[in-house]
Amino acid sequence: MRVAMIGAGYVGLVSGACFADFGHDVCCVDKDPAKIEALNRGEIPIFEPGLAELVAKNVREGRLTFTTHLPEAVKSAEAVFIAVGTPSRRGDGHADLSYVYQAARDIAAAMDGYTVVVTKSTVPVGTGDEVERIIRETRPDADFAVVSNPEFLREGAAIADFKRPDRIVIGTEDQRGLSVMNDLYRPLYLNQSPLLAMSRRTAELTKYAANAFLATKITFINEIADLCEQVGANVQDVARGIGLDNRIGSKFLHAGPGYGGSCFPKDTLALIKTAQDYEAPIRIVETVAAVNSQRKRAMGRKVIAACGGSVRGKTIAVLGLTFKPNTDDMRDAPSIDVITALQDAGARVRAYDPEGMDAAMAIITDVHYARDAYDCARDADALVLVTEWDTFRALDLVRLKAAMASPVVVDLRNVYRPDEMRRHGYTYVSVGRT
Ligand SMILES: NC(=O)c1ccc[n+]([C@@H]2O[C@H](COP(=O)([O-])OP(=O)(O)OC[C@H]3O[C@@H](n4cnc5c(N)ncnc54)[C@H](O)[C@@H]3O)[C@@H](O)[C@H]2O)c1
């Protein structure tokens, strides 16, 4: 099948490359000429394991192309995916749908013959109705269906998630549209990924419900961790003790500095706003969002406490900047709040991240960016582990201690064992473990 993917960001590029790998003919469109030029030179604008190889293979085999010229991609496509950003709107937290609506207008002007327009971007309930209205208004003669197909991939494991999803959600009332989506995803449900057909509005809400539930689970264990610290209990044992219960499940029960990233913060906010607008407020998610945003800065205070109550004039080393390992995505990363809190309290910050430093430099200034973990720790009065990259999991504790001015480690991901750290002579603070 011929597919146009509008937006060649994380989701568009990964989905486009995977659809091409299934054998479809995919053209990825982006309005950012620098991104398209880079892709056409064979450079991948983001760090995502396996993506460079997958893109190169499908370009070489002629199934994947890139352009800034939307009409040429849309004209011949049977399915046109909208995979543009839906960031928080400044001021009120609603999803900013201006990119989606612009894409809808551009697609409407260019489409030719029966076309299935698929929203893959995460969009509030009712957006599909508005996309349909825009297309009909722009092109009263057009033959089309608007389908919701939310994406559940995780950055860092995006290709595996796309190729072996837990489920595929298709929201449409249009039988022809559903059958095109079935054909597109056929290679996947042959692999036994269930394809769930539902109404368009239900599909739109399903995506937000999934993200809000996961954000709630993380926030729940984070608050249990705080209680563990007060009562002398161990949050990792609690998490295992509840997670092995199949009704609960062990995923997303790792206590840490609070969730960040390109999805959970903005999607919880957007769901809260939608629910308020429909006078069905989801108070549990309102609380989750409030607790989480306070938590990130509270992690800065945790470091200050570990340094004896003041970091003024002290050097703090920060390991890991991206919102999670195996991505270079810095959007809403907890490291930003932690570093800002430390700088506000008068600390000098040294930082290192295996892949995220270019993106970090554009956001976090006044930081010394180090060459590696040991260079980062040099002369530091304390070290904070914020993102649990594999390379930080087996640091040489003797070498690290020798580099530091004072052996204080604040491990916000519970990577190390308290007894081992103590044996090496560290003052060691972690999350929900005493
Ligand atoms: N990143 C994730 O892990 C993830 C996972 C699931 C769902 N989502 C959702 O998918 C959507 C896209 O997210 P992302 O992280 O890929 O965003 P992104 O910011 O990485 O990419 C969006 C791209 O769209 C391009 N664009 C915007 N308007 C355009 C237009 N009119 N024509 C052509 N290109 C246009 C931008 O230049 C940009 O390259 C969002 O709604 C997001 O919530 C993201």
Side-chain angles (χ1 to χ4, degrees):
M1 294 181 75
R2 286 178 170 277
V3 174
M5 187 66 67
I6 314 303
Y10 258 99
V11 166
L13 191 54
V14 170
S15 313
C18 289
F19 276 133
D21 211 46
F22 296 160
H24 301 306
D25 201 339
V26 180
C27 182
C28 289
V29 182
D30 206 287
K31 63 175 186 182
D32 178 353
K35 196 172 267 189
I36 294 301
E37 279 161 26
L39 285 164
N40 278 329
R41 282 196 304 272
E43 293 163 18
I44 307 297
I46 51 172
F47 174 78
E48 177 63 41
L51 185 59
E53 296 79 356
L54 192 73
V55 167
K57 168 174 174 249
N58 284 282
V59 167
R60 203 170 48 240
E61 293 171 6
R63 290 184 301 269
L64 183 60
T65 53
F66 305 101
T67 182
T68 52
H69 191 57
L70 181 142
E72 125 197 355
V74 168
K75 205 171 176 337
S76 56
E78 293 147 277
V80 180
F81 283 80
I82 300 178
V84 300
T86 48
S88 274
R89 196 163 67 187
R90 232 175 253 282
D92 67 2
H94 266 293
D96 177 354
L97 295 173
S98 54
Y99 303 103
V100 172
Y101 294 154
Q102 186 55 50
R105 277 187 284 274
D106 296 346
I107 293 165
M111 63 199 209
D112 188 13
Y114 180 70
T115 308
V116 180
V117 178
V118 191
T119 359
K120 200 163 236 338
S121 297
T122 302
V123 294
V125 169
T127 304
D129 303 354
E130 182 60 14
V131 167
E132 185 170 325
R133 197 196 59 75
I134 290 173
I135 297 176
R136 180 128 357 256
E137 181 184 82
T138 315
R139 279 284 298 279
D141 62 312
D143 187 12
F144 68 101
V146 175
V147 173
S148 165
N149 171 221
E151 182 50 57
F152 297 94
L153 62 78
R154 293 164 300 168
E155 289 180 16
I159 293 168
D161 282 352
F162 194 93
K163 289 192 161 184
R164 279 180 297 281
D166 292 335
R167 77 309 204 182
I168 301 152
V169 169
I170 310 279
T172 180
E173 283 80 10
D174 183 295
Q175 279 313 311
R176 232 164 126 198
L178 182 60
S179 119
V180 168
M181 296 304 287
N182 270 320
D183 289 347
L184 261 175
Y185 278 109
R186 192 176 307 284
L188 279 189
Y189 64 78
L190 290 179
N191 280 345
Q192 324 232 296
S193 295
L195 197 145
L196 309 184
M198 55 183 76
S199 79
R200 195 164 62 199
R201 285 184 161 237
T202 310
E204 289 169 338
L205 187 55
T206 300
K207 172 64 190 176
Y208 282 100
N211 276 0
F213 189 86
L214 294 173
T216 303
K217 213 173 165 189
I218 294 172
T219 306
F220 176 81
I221 202 67
N222 283 341
E223 290 208 304
I224 293 289
D226 291 348
L227 181 58
C228 284
E229 288 178 16
Q230 298 310 315
V231 301
N234 181 320
V235 74
Q236 284 179 311
D237 291 341
V238 174
R240 204 167 141 71
I242 63 174
L244 286 173
D245 183 330
N246 283 334
R247 293 169 301 176
I248 296 175
S250 56
K251 304 269 176 65
F252 284 76
L253 284 183
H254 300 286
Y259 61 76
S262 66
C263 292
F264 287 3
K266 80 171 174 67
D267 292 348
T268 45
L269 276 189
L271 178 62
I272 290 166
K273 286 292 170 189
T274 302
Q276 287 169 352
D277 283 354
Y278 283 87
E279 291 181 12
I282 307 183
R283 300 232 166 72
I284 191 167
V285 182
E286 291 176 9
T287 304
V288 163
V291 167
N292 190 70
S293 67
Q294 284 161 24
R295 183 175 189 81
K296 295 197 230 173
R297 204 170 156 90
M299 293 299 116
R301 292 198 293 277
K302 194 178 176 82
V303 178
I304 294 168
C307 292
S310 171
V311 289
R312 186 154 301 281
K314 292 186 177 167
T315 300
I316 310 293
V318 174
L319 286 189
L321 297 169
T322 51
F323 84 95
K324 66 169 171 178
N326 295 325
T327 176
D328 58 357
D329 201 335
M330 282 295 298
R331 289 179 278 187
D332 272 321
S335 65
I336 301 169
D337 300 73
V338 174
I339 290 174
T340 309
L342 292 171
Q343 289 177 329
D344 288 349
R348 279 189 301 269
V349 175
R350 296 171 69 83
Y352 172 69
D353 188 280
E355 296 291 341
M357 294 212 288
D358 286 346
M361 280 172 202
I363 303 171
I364 316 175
T365 50
D366 269 346
V367 164
H368 175 89
Y369 288 95
R371 285 190 312 277
D372 58 32
Y374 303 99
D375 179 39
C376 185
R378 193 146 49 86
D379 298 328
D381 296 285
L383 179 142
V384 196
L385 205 163
V386 181
T387 313
E388 70 281 28
W389 285 88
D390 274 348
T391 142
F392 303 148
R393 286 179 182 276
L395 292 169
D396 178 338
L397 295 174
V398 175
R399 186 175 163 204
L400 192 73
K401 188 169 163 226
M404 295 177 70
S406 153
V408 176
V409 168
V410 181
D411 177 359
L412 298 180
R413 298 290 182 173
N414 291 344
V415 165
Y416 286 93
R417 295 210 341 243
D419 54 346
E420 190 189 7
M421 294 302 282
R422 234 168 281 128
R423 203 159 15 87
H424 278 88
Y426 285 94
T427 301
Y428 178 74
V429 177
S430 57
V431 180
R433 305 184 300 176
T434 39

